[in-house]
Coordinates of all heavy atoms in Angstrom, one line a residue:
M1 N 1.9 7.4 21.6 CA 1.1 6.3 21.9 C 0.8 6.3 23.4 O 1.6 6.8 24.2 CB 1.9 5.0 21.7 CG 2.3 4.7 20.2 SD 0.9 4.5 19.2 CE 1.3 5.5 17.8
S2 N -0.4 5.9 23.7 CA -0.8 6.0 25.1 C -0.5 4.7 25.9 O -0.7 4.7 27.1 CB -2.3 6.4 25.2 OG -3.1 5.4 24.6
S3 N -0.1 3.7 25.2 CA 0.2 2.5 26.0 C 1.3 1.7 25.2 O 1.5 1.9 24.0 CB -1.0 1.6 26.1 OG -1.4 1.0 24.9
A4 N 2.0 0.8 25.9 CA 3.0 0.0 25.3 C 2.3 -0.9 24.2 O 3.0 -1.2 23.2 CB 3.7 -0.9 26.4
A5 N 1.1 -1.4 24.5 CA 0.4 -2.3 23.5 C 0.2 -1.5 22.2 O 0.4 -2.1 21.1 CB -0.9 -2.8 24.1
Q6 N -0.2 -0.3 22.3 CA -0.4 0.5 21.1 C 0.9 0.7 20.3 O 0.9 0.6 19.1 CB -1.0 1.9 21.4 CG -2.4 1.9 21.7 CD -3.0 3.3 21.9 OE1 -2.3 4.2 22.4 NE2 -4.2 3.5 21.5
L7 N 2.0 1.0 21.0 CA 3.3 1.1 20.3 C 3.7 -0.2 19.7 O 4.2 -0.2 18.5 CB 4.3 1.6 21.4 CG 5.8 1.7 20.8 CD1 5.8 2.8 19.7 CD2 6.7 2.1 22.0
Y8 N 3.5 -1.3 20.4 CA 3.9 -2.6 19.8 C 3.0 -2.9 18.5 O 3.6 -3.3 17.5 CB 3.6 -3.7 20.9 CG 3.9 -5.1 20.3 CD1 5.2 -5.6 20.3 CD2 2.8 -5.9 19.9 CE1 5.4 -6.8 19.8 CE2 3.1 -7.2 19.4 CZ 4.4 -7.6 19.3 OH 4.6 -8.9 18.8
D9 N 1.7 -2.6 18.6 CA 0.9 -2.8 17.4 C 1.3 -1.9 16.3 O 1.3 -2.4 15.1 CB -0.6 -2.5 17.8 CG -1.2 -3.6 18.7 OD1 -0.6 -4.7 18.8 OD2 -2.3 -3.2 19.3
R10 N 1.7 -0.7 16.5 CA 2.1 0.2 15.5 C 3.4 -0.3 14.8 O 3.5 -0.4 13.6 CB 2.3 1.6 16.1 CG 2.9 2.6 15.1 CD 1.8 3.1 14.1 NE 2.3 4.0 13.2 CZ 2.1 5.3 13.2 NH1 1.3 5.8 14.1 NH2 2.6 6.0 12.2
C11 N 4.4 -0.7 15.6 CA 5.7 -1.2 15.1 C 5.5 -2.5 14.3 O 6.1 -2.7 13.3 CB 6.7 -1.4 16.2 SG 7.2 0.2 16.9
T12 N 4.7 -3.4 14.9 CA 4.6 -4.7 14.2 C 3.7 -4.5 12.9 O 4.0 -5.2 11.9 CB 3.9 -5.8 15.0 OG1 2.7 -5.3 15.6 CG2 4.8 -6.2 16.2
G13 N 2.8 -3.6 12.9 CA 2.0 -3.2 11.7 C 2.9 -2.7 10.6 O 2.8 -3.0 9.4
M14 N 3.9 -1.8 11.0 CA 4.8 -1.3 10.0 C 5.7 -2.4 9.4 O 5.9 -2.4 8.2 CB 5.7 -0.2 10.7 CG 4.9 1.1 11.0 SD 5.8 2.3 11.9 CE 7.5 2.2 11.4
A15 N 6.1 -3.3 10.2 CA 6.9 -4.4 9.7 C 6.1 -5.3 8.8 O 6.6 -5.7 7.7 CB 7.5 -5.2 10.9
R16 N 4.9 -5.5 9.2 CA 4.0 -6.3 8.3 C 3.7 -5.7 7.0 O 3.7 -6.3 5.9 CB 2.7 -6.6 9.1 CG 1.8 -7.6 8.4 CD 0.6 -7.9 9.3 NE -0.1 -6.8 9.9 CZ 0.0 -6.5 11.2 NH1 0.7 -7.2 12.0 NH2 -0.6 -5.4 11.6
D17 N 3.5 -4.3 7.0 CA 3.2 -3.6 5.8 C 4.4 -3.6 4.9 O 4.3 -3.7 3.7 CB 2.8 -2.1 6.1 CG 1.5 -2.0 6.8 OD1 0.7 -3.0 6.8 OD2 1.2 -0.9 7.3
T18 N 5.6 -3.5 5.5 CA 6.9 -3.5 4.7 C 7.0 -4.9 4.1 O 7.4 -5.0 2.9 CB 8.1 -3.2 5.6 OG1 7.9 -1.9 6.2 CG2 9.4 -3.2 4.8
Q19 N 6.8 -5.9 4.8 CA 6.9 -7.3 4.2 C 5.9 -7.5 3.1 O 6.3 -8.0 2.0 CB 6.6 -8.3 5.3 CG 6.8 -9.7 4.8 CD 6.5 -10.8 5.9 OE1 5.7 -10.6 6.8 NE2 7.2 -11.9 5.8
Q20 N 4.7 -6.9 3.2 CA 3.8 -7.0 2.1 C 4.3 -6.3 0.9 O 4.1 -6.8 -0.2 CB 2.4 -6.5 2.6 CG 1.3 -6.7 1.6 CD 0.9 -8.2 1.4 OE1 1.2 -9.0 2.3 NE2 0.4 -8.5 0.3
L21 N 4.9 -5.2 1.1 CA 5.4 -4.4 -0.1 C 6.6 -5.2 -0.7 O 6.7 -5.2 -2.0 CB 5.9 -3.1 0.3 CG 4.8 -2.0 0.6 CD1 5.4 -0.8 1.3 CD2 4.0 -1.7 -0.6
M22 N 7.4 -5.9 0.1 CA 8.5 -6.7 -0.5 C 7.9 -7.8 -1.3 O 8.5 -8.1 -2.4 CB 9.3 -7.3 0.7 CG 10.1 -6.2 1.4 SD 10.9 -6.9 2.9 CE 11.9 -8.2 2.3
L23 N 6.9 -8.5 -0.9 CA 6.4 -9.6 -1.5 C 5.5 -9.3 -2.8 O 5.5 -10.1 -3.7 CB 5.5 -10.5 -0.6 CG 6.3 -11.0 0.6 CD1 5.3 -11.7 1.6 CD2 7.4 -12.0 0.2
T24 N 4.8 -8.2 -2.8 CA 3.9 -7.9 -3.8 C 4.4 -6.8 -4.8 O 4.0 -6.8 -6.0 CB 2.5 -7.4 -3.3 OG1 2.7 -6.2 -2.5 CG2 1.9 -8.5 -2.4
K25 N 5.2 -5.9 -4.3 CA 5.6 -4.7 -5.2 C 7.1 -4.7 -5.5 O 7.6 -3.8 -6.1 CB 5.2 -3.4 -4.5 CG 3.7 -3.3 -4.2 CD 2.9 -3.1 -5.5 CE 1.4 -2.9 -5.2 NZ 0.6 -2.8 -6.3
G26 N 7.8 -5.6 -4.9 CA 9.3 -5.7 -5.2 C 10.1 -4.7 -4.4 O 11.2 -4.4 -4.8
L27 N 9.6 -4.3 -3.3 CA 10.4 -3.4 -2.4 C 11.8 -4.1 -2.1 O 11.8 -5.2 -1.7 CB 9.7 -3.1 -1.1 CG 10.4 -2.2 -0.1 CD1 10.4 -0.8 -0.6 CD2 9.7 -2.3 1.3
S28 N 12.8 -3.3 -2.3 CA 14.2 -3.9 -2.1 C 15.0 -3.2 -1.0 O 16.1 -3.7 -0.7 CB 15.0 -3.9 -3.4 OG 15.1 -2.6 -3.8
A29 N 14.5 -2.2 -0.4 CA 15.2 -1.5 0.6 C 14.2 -0.8 1.6 O 13.1 -0.5 1.2 CB 16.1 -0.4 0.0
Y30 N 14.6 -0.7 2.8 CA 13.7 -0.1 3.8 C 14.6 0.6 4.8 O 15.6 0.1 5.3 CB 13.0 -1.2 4.5 CG 12.1 -0.8 5.7 CD1 10.9 -0.1 5.4 CD2 12.4 -1.2 7.0 CE1 10.1 0.2 6.5 CE2 11.6 -0.8 8.0 CZ 10.4 -0.1 7.8 OH 9.6 0.2 8.8
V31 N 14.3 1.9 5.1 CA 15.1 2.7 6.1 C 14.2 3.1 7.2 O 13.1 3.7 6.9 CB 15.7 3.9 5.4 CG1 16.5 4.7 6.4 CG2 16.7 3.4 4.3
Y32 N 14.5 2.9 8.4 CA 13.7 3.3 9.5 C 14.6 4.3 10.3 O 15.7 3.9 10.8 CB 13.3 2.1 10.4 CG 12.4 2.5 11.5 CD1 11.1 2.8 11.3 CD2 12.9 2.5 12.8 CE1 10.3 3.1 12.3 CE2 12.1 2.9 13.8 CZ 10.8 3.2 13.6 OH 9.9 3.5 14.6
T33 N 14.2 5.5 10.5 CA 15.0 6.5 11.2 C 14.5 6.6 12.6 O 13.5 5.9 13.0 CB 14.9 7.9 10.5 OG1 13.6 8.3 10.5 CG2 15.5 7.8 9.1
E34 N 15.2 7.4 13.4 CA 14.8 7.5 14.8 C 13.4 7.9 15.0 O 12.8 8.7 14.2 CB 15.7 8.5 15.5 CG 15.6 9.9 15.0 CD 16.6 10.9 15.6 OE1 16.6 11.0 16.8 OE2 17.4 11.5 14.9
I35 N 12.7 7.4 16.0 CA 11.3 7.7 16.2 C 11.1 8.9 17.1 O 10.1 9.5 17.1 CB 10.5 6.5 16.8 CG1 11.2 6.0 18.2 CG2 10.5 5.4 15.8 CD1 10.4 5.0 18.9
T36 N 12.1 9.3 17.9 CA 12.1 10.5 18.7 C 13.5 11.1 18.7 O 14.5 10.5 18.4 CB 11.7 10.2 20.2 OG1 12.7 9.3 20.7 CG2 10.4 9.5 20.3
D37 N 13.5 12.4 19.0 CA 14.8 13.1 19.2 C 15.1 13.2 20.6 O 14.4 13.9 21.4 CB 14.7 14.5 18.6 CG 16.0 15.2 18.6 OD1 16.9 14.7 19.2 OD2 16.1 16.2 17.9
V38 N 16.0 12.4 21.1 CA 16.3 12.3 22.5 C 16.8 13.6 23.1 O 16.8 13.8 24.3 CB 17.4 11.2 22.8 CG1 16.8 9.8 22.5 CG2 18.6 11.4 22.1
E39 N 17.3 14.6 22.2 CA 17.8 15.8 22.8 C 16.7 16.9 22.7 O 17.0 18.1 23.0 CB 19.0 16.2 22.0 CG 20.1 15.3 22.2 CD 21.3 15.5 21.3 OE1 21.2 16.4 20.5 OE2 22.4 14.9 21.5
G40 N 15.5 16.6 22.2 CA 14.5 17.6 22.2 C 14.4 18.6 21.0 O 13.7 19.5 21.0
E41 N 15.2 18.3 20.1 CA 15.3 19.2 18.9 C 13.9 19.0 18.1 O 13.4 17.9 18.0 CB 16.4 18.8 18.0 CG 16.6 19.7 16.8 CD 17.9 19.4 16.1 OE1 18.8 18.7 16.6 OE2 18.0 19.8 14.9
H42 N 13.4 20.1 17.6 CA 12.2 20.0 16.8 C 12.4 20.6 15.4 O 12.6 21.8 15.2 CB 11.1 20.8 17.6 CG 9.8 20.8 16.9 ND1 9.0 19.6 16.8 CD2 9.1 21.7 16.2 CE1 7.9 19.9 16.2 NE2 7.9 21.1 15.8
N43 N 12.3 19.7 14.4 CA 12.4 20.1 13.0 C 13.7 20.9 12.7 O 13.7 21.8 11.9 CB 11.2 20.9 12.6 CG 10.0 20.1 12.6 OD1 10.0 18.9 12.4 ND2 8.9 20.7 12.9
G44 N 14.8 20.6 13.4 CA 16.1 21.2 13.1 C 16.2 22.6 13.5 O 17.1 23.3 13.1
L45 N 15.4 23.1 14.4 CA 15.5 24.5 14.8 C 16.6 24.8 15.8 O 17.0 25.9 15.9 CB 14.1 25.0 15.4 CG 13.0 25.0 14.5 CD1 11.7 25.4 15.2 CD2 13.2 25.9 13.3
F46 N 17.1 23.8 16.4 CA 18.2 24.0 17.3 C 19.5 23.4 16.8 O 19.4 22.3 16.2 CB 17.9 23.4 18.7 CG 16.8 24.0 19.4 CD1 15.6 23.3 19.6 CD2 16.9 25.3 19.9 CE1 14.5 23.9 20.2 CE2 15.8 25.9 20.6 CZ 14.6 25.2 20.7
S47 N 20.6 24.0 17.0 CA 21.9 23.3 16.7 C 22.2 22.4 17.8 O 21.6 22.3 18.9 CB 23.0 24.3 16.4 OG 23.3 25.0 17.6
Y48 N 23.3 21.7 17.7 CA 23.7 20.7 18.7 C 23.9 21.4 20.0 O 23.6 20.8 21.1 CB 24.9 19.9 18.3 CG 25.2 18.8 19.2 CD1 24.5 17.6 19.2 CD2 26.2 18.9 20.2 CE1 24.7 16.6 20.0 CE2 26.5 17.9 21.0 CZ 25.7 16.7 21.0 OH 26.0 15.7 21.8
D49 N 24.5 22.6 20.0 CA 24.8 23.2 21.3 C 23.6 24.1 21.7 O 23.7 24.9 22.7 CB 26.0 24.1 21.2 CG 26.0 25.2 20.2 OD1 24.9 25.3 19.5 OD2 27.0 25.9 20.0
R50 N 22.5 24.0 21.1 CA 21.2 24.7 21.4 C 21.2 26.2 21.1 O 20.5 27.0 21.6 CB 20.8 24.5 22.9 CG 20.5 23.1 23.2 CD 19.3 22.7 22.3 NE 18.9 21.3 22.5 CZ 19.0 20.4 21.5 NH1 19.4 20.8 20.3 NH2 18.5 19.2 21.6
R51 N 22.1 26.6 20.2 CA 22.1 28.0 19.7 C 21.6 28.0 18.3 O 21.9 27.2 17.5 CB 23.5 28.6 19.8 CG 24.0 28.7 21.2 CD 25.4 29.3 21.2 NE 25.9 29.3 22.5 CZ 27.2 29.4 22.8 NH1 28.1 29.5 21.9 NH2 27.6 29.4 24.1
V52 N 20.8 29.0 18.0 CA 20.2 29.1 16.7 C 21.2 30.0 15.8 O 21.7 31.0 16.3 CB 18.8 29.7 16.7 CG1 18.3 29.9 15.3 CG2 17.9 28.8 17.5

């Protein structure tokens, strides 16, 4: 996202979409995982100690 406002809009949109699925389709669970990898890992290519 290029701005905090865009990030906010994206997150609130996801919450709104989830609520809509709960009300109309019977969604009963929702899992939100980390949005970034704070250690810089990309698709699991590095182990925790950075050795492959």
